[in-house]
Amino acid sequence: MISTTMIAAWTLVAVAFFALVILLYVALRSRARRFDLEKADLEKAVQAFRSLDIEAFRNLVDSAEEAFLRDNLSPKKFREIKRQRAWAALIYAWEAGGAATALAKIGQAAQRSSDPKIAASGVQLTENAFRLRLQTIGACFHLLTEVVLPDLRSPSLPPLVDQYERAAETLFRLGRFSSGRHGLISR
């Protein structure tokens, strides 16, 4: 007769084997799955990145502009305008964060290219995208604070703007490289 201990042991072996098969399947599937990034996808990402008006964002978060408004508006009107500007800047920062996520994916795909220039730009793009995403998160918290407490004097957000411009520059350089004969991803 088979004891309950023996049944439990064989059940555990079967469950472990089944789990191993599932893990193996997932590992092979994720390895086989490629993020095929076509030229059109890269061009769409470049276009989306260019669509954000960085100068308008820079104006919304400029501390000199805020000081001008504070000096020339009544306190009540200043708070109202500052809240509106903070909301608008928050939307810009949120969109820049979304662009950073897309850039990271493009950078990861570019890193797998057989062209060393594209692969190097992919590494740089991924790093810039990560920094940009972190800065957009910080900027969103900062801007939410301005919405709630508009009377606080706040510094401008130039690191976010500068990081956005660095990421855009790398993306545009990657777009120029990938338009060559090698393509973005080695096949």
Side-chain angles (χ1 to χ4, degrees):
M1 292 230 153
I2 300 177
S3 69
T4 56
T5 307
M6 190 72 135
I7 292 173
W10 280 109
T11 303
L12 285 175
V13 168
V15 168
F17 181 74
F18 185 67
L20 182 64
V21 168
I22 289 173
L23 286 174
L24 185 61
Y25 172 75
V26 169
L28 290 175
R29 184 173 176 201
S30 68
R31 186 169 185 214
R33 185 185 309 165
R34 280 190 140 165
F35 293 103
D36 289 329
L37 188 61
E38 300 296 325
K39 183 178 176 186
D41 293 335
L42 179 61
E43 288 172 1
K44 250 185 358 186
V46 169
Q47 187 61 34
F49 216 75
R50 283 184 177 156
S51 70
L52 285 174
D53 187 353
I54 197 65
E55 288 306 316
F57 178 72
R58 186 187 305 269
N59 183 28
L60 287 170
V61 297
D62 185 21
S63 58
E65 186 73 22
E66 180 182 329
F68 174 80
L69 293 172
R70 187 181 299 271
D71 292 341
N72 292 300
L73 296 174
S74 68
K76 182 179 179 182
K77 189 67 173 172
F78 171 75
R79 285 190 298 273
E80 178 186 330
I81 297 295
K82 184 164 180 189
R83 279 191 177 105
Q84 292 172 357
R85 290 170 59 88
W87 273 118
L90 179 68
I91 292 169
Y92 272 101
W94 188 265
E95 290 298 319
T101 302
L103 289 178
K105 290 177 184 176
I106 292 169
Q108 290 169 352
Q111 289 177 37
R112 294 188 294 272
S113 173
S114 59
D115 185 333
K117 287 182 180 178
I118 293 175
S121 286
V123 169
Q124 190 176 18
L125 185 61
T126 303
E127 290 172 359
N128 285 342
F130 178 71
R131 285 188 201 103
L132 178 60
R133 187 65 178 143
L134 287 178
Q135 288 181 355
T136 58
I137 291 168
C140 286
F141 284 125
H142 176 84
L143 292 165
L144 279 174
T145 302
E146 286 187 6
V147 168
V148 174
L149 304 168
D151 286 328
L152 286 178
R153 293 190 185 266
S154 58
S156 62
L157 299 169
L160 174 62
V161 175
D162 295 341
Q163 187 63 47
Y164 182 88
E165 289 174 338
R166 278 192 295 277
E169 184 180 298
T170 305
L171 176 64
F172 301 148
R173 186 173 57 245
L174 180 63
R176 284 193 308 271
F177 289 153
S178 68
S179 63
R181 67 184 193 352
H182 295 293
L184 183 59
I185 298 178
S186 59
R187 299 211 184 250

